[in-house]
Amino acid sequence: MKIDILTIFPRMFDALNESLIGKAQTRELVDIQTVDFRDYADNKHNTVDDAPYGGGAGMLLQAQPILDAYEDIESKSNTKKRVILLDPAGKKFDQAMAKDFATAEELVFICGHYEGYDERVKTIVTDEVSIGDYVVTGGELAAMIMIDATMRFVPGVLGNDISAYDDSFSNDLLEFPQYTRPADYKGMKVPEVLTSGNHELIRQWRLRESLKKTYLKRPDLLENREFTNEEEKMLREIKADLL
Ligand code: ADE
């Protein structure tokens, strides 16, 4: 996969050279390139922002440097591109979107600053996306979150035995509690079933705990979910136990 990031703070993306995403880059599972769109500003001071027509507080990113930087990227490859505009007014990013982005050949992220963008930037955009209902100082952190979550779905990135499809949210349930050694830490014991070696009982226990945790912490995730008969029965029992 190829990822291009249009930003005026390219060094922020050095963080992607660490950990799993860093490894994915060395292993050439992804090619991440930053493009400083300030380099494309067509004025001698290299400014990329200006005051909004009609008045109002703050500055807007101009369309010209961003559109020219994108044109340069486009001229270098004819892969189909998904162009993502980081914007608190966009659609809220989630695990399903990460999975979908992971199927693209090339992703282009446009990171904004100041009060927003000149509306004409949107002529090249395929997706306007937000990381949540809060405003951060720029799109860079938001882009890094999306790149990280997306890369987890690119085959090979997590290693062979781990799958992002088992993570919380991937089946619309939160992940069950996990334990590692020792089995007894200062009197805090690991649930006996987990040390029983009985795979079927362990599976049932995990499913029940996932359902319970989701019901208690994120009931909204259950609202439109389709349940198996087993899950429905467990959920009824969980609710009865909690009464
Ligand atoms: N830029 C500023 N806030 C943002 C958010 N919540 N999501 C995406 N980009 C942003």
Side-chain angles (χ1 to χ4, degrees), residues 46-94:
N46 280 357
T47 56
V48 291
D49 60 319
D50 210 334
Y53 278 119
M59 301 290 266
L60 295 179
L61 282 172
Q62 293 170 290
Q64 178 272 319
I66 295 176
L67 295 180
D68 283 0
Y70 180 71
E71 202 175 293
D72 203 13
I73 289 172
E74 263 219 311
S75 71
K76 288 176 184 154
S77 77
N78 46 21
T79 358
K80 196 163 181 301
K81 293 167 188 58
R82 196 92 181 245
V83 183
I84 300 148
L85 186 76
L86 285 314
D87 188 336
K91 187 170 174 213
K92 214 182 280 180
F93 185 68
D94 62 13

Side-chain angles (χ1 to χ4, degrees), residues 27-213:
R27 288 163 60 212
E28 297 184 5
L29 295 170
V30 62
D31 174 14
I32 303 178
Q33 299 294 337
T34 52
V35 177
D36 187 345
F37 60 80
R38 194 181 289 286
D39 294 342
Y40 291 83
D42 67 0
N43 60 79
K44 64 175 186 292
H45 300 293
N46 280 357
T47 56
V48 291
D49 60 319
D50 210 334
Y53 278 119
M59 301 290 266
L60 295 179
L61 282 172
Q62 293 170 290
Q64 178 272 319
I66 295 176
L67 295 180
D68 283 0
Y70 180 71
E71 202 175 293
D72 203 13
I73 289 172
E74 263 219 311
S75 71
K76 288 176 184 154
S77 77
N78 46 21
T79 358
K80 196 163 181 301
K81 293 167 188 58
R82 196 92 181 245
V83 183
I84 300 148
L85 186 76
L86 285 314
D87 188 336
K91 187 170 174 213
K92 214 182 280 180
F93 185 68
D94 62 13
Q95 191 79 332
M97 215 187 277
K99 235 181 268 184
D100 187 33
F101 285 172
T103 64
E105 264 185 282
E106 185 161 352
L107 295 173
V108 182
F109 288 90
I110 304 176
C111 303
H113 272 270
Y114 315 114
E115 288 304 304
Y117 311 86
D118 182 308
E119 196 66 16
R120 290 166 290 190
V121 167
K122 295 184 184 164
T123 51
I124 55 167
V125 169
T126 58
D127 304 83
E128 295 171 36
V129 190
S130 164
I131 45 167
D133 291 340
Y134 46 88
V135 177
V136 288
T137 49
E140 283 76 11
L141 289 171
M144 279 191 261
I145 286 170
M146 290 179 202
I147 291 167
D148 189 299
T150 299
M151 289 304 300
R152 296 173 61 80
F153 286 101
V154 171
V157 168
L158 292 187
N160 295 333
D161 54 340
I162 311 169
S163 166
Y165 291 89
D166 295 334
D167 286 343
S168 283
F169 305 112
S170 272
N171 58 359
D172 291 327
L173 294 178
L174 301 181
E175 205 180 15
F176 46 80
Q178 302 248 56
Y179 300 86
T180 185
R181 285 193 290 181
D184 183 337
Y185 177 68
K186 294 184 179 169
M188 294 182 280
K189 294 197 175 69
V190 170
E192 226 166 87
V193 60
L194 298 179
T195 54
S196 70
N198 184 325
H199 296 300
E200 175 54 19
L201 283 183
I202 293 171
R203 185 196 65 79
Q204 289 175 21
W205 181 86
R206 288 181 163 166
L207 179 58
R208 186 183 300 273
E209 290 299 314
S210 273
L211 283 163
K212 186 171 161 190
K213 188 165 159 186

